[in-house]
Amino acid sequence: MYDMYMKNKVKKVKVTWQEIEKLAKKVAKQVNDMSEAGYQFDAIVCIGRGSMVPSRLISEYTGIKQIYFADVKAYTEDDKLGKVTCNLYMPKLEHKGILLVDDCLTTGTTMNAVEKAVTAKVNCLRYAHKIVLFKNEHNLQHAVYGKLYDADKIWLVFPWEVGCIKQHKQDSNADREYIINNNTKYMY
C-alpha cells in the first residue's frame, strides 16, 4: 500500500512508540470523560492488525477489558482500494456500548464497514463510538481522535509495521536506516 503513496510523493512520517502511548492516553481520557458523562462502554472492537496495540493501551487506560477483533480487508494485492470486507470475531452481544478502535482514520471506509458489521452483530446496540489515534483533517466524520494529520501529504508508518519496511542496519546510537521498496533510504 505504501508504494501507491510513494508514487504521489507523499511524505513518510514515522510514528514513535512514545507518541502512540501519548495519543492512547489522550483518547482514553476523552473516553473516560464520556463515561463520567453517562456513556457506558462495555467492549472494544479492534479494527485490523494496526489497532491491536492502540486497543490494548486504551483498554488499560479505560478499564474496558473485553476486546474483540475485526479482520478487515480493504486493499487489493496491487495496493488499490477495493471492496471492504469485515469478519468479526466476537460473540453475539446485547445492549452494549462499543468502542471501535483503529490506528488512523483516512477515508472512513474501513471504519464505516466495521460499524455496519458491529451494528448487525450486536442486538440493540446502544452506541458505537469511533476512536482513532490519528484522524485525517480532511475527513469530516465524527470520531474521538488524538491528533489530526493530512493524508494527502503524509503517510504514517507505525512502529509495528514491517511489511513495507526492511531494516537495513542499526548503529550504536539506535538510529535506523530503512530501505523502502523503491530503494529510497530514510534515516531516523
Side-chain angles (χ1 to χ4, degrees), residues 92-107:
K92 185 91 171 148
L93 301 172
E94 295 198 18
H95 306 286
K96 298 292 182 184
I98 306 288
L99 295 179
L100 306 176
V101 176
D102 207 352
D103 51 3
C104 62
L105 189 145
T106 305
T107 65

Side-chain angles (χ1 to χ4, degrees), residues 142-188:
H142 178 73
V144 172
Y145 63 90
K147 187 174 184 177
L148 291 174
Y149 79 106
D150 186 345
D152 294 335
K153 297 178 182 172
I154 294 173
W155 176 260
L156 299 170
V157 178
F158 293 94
W160 51 81
E161 293 180 321
V162 294
C164 67
I165 299 175
K166 177 183 176 185
Q167 184 174 346
H168 181 63
K169 71 177 186 179
Q170 186 171 2
D171 67 20
S172 61
N173 295 327
D175 290 335
R176 294 183 179 143
E177 179 182 74
Y178 289 97
I179 298 184
I180 306 307
N181 290 339
N182 67 355
N183 292 325
T184 304
K185 292 182 182 181
Y186 294 87
M187 293 295 295
Y188 298 104

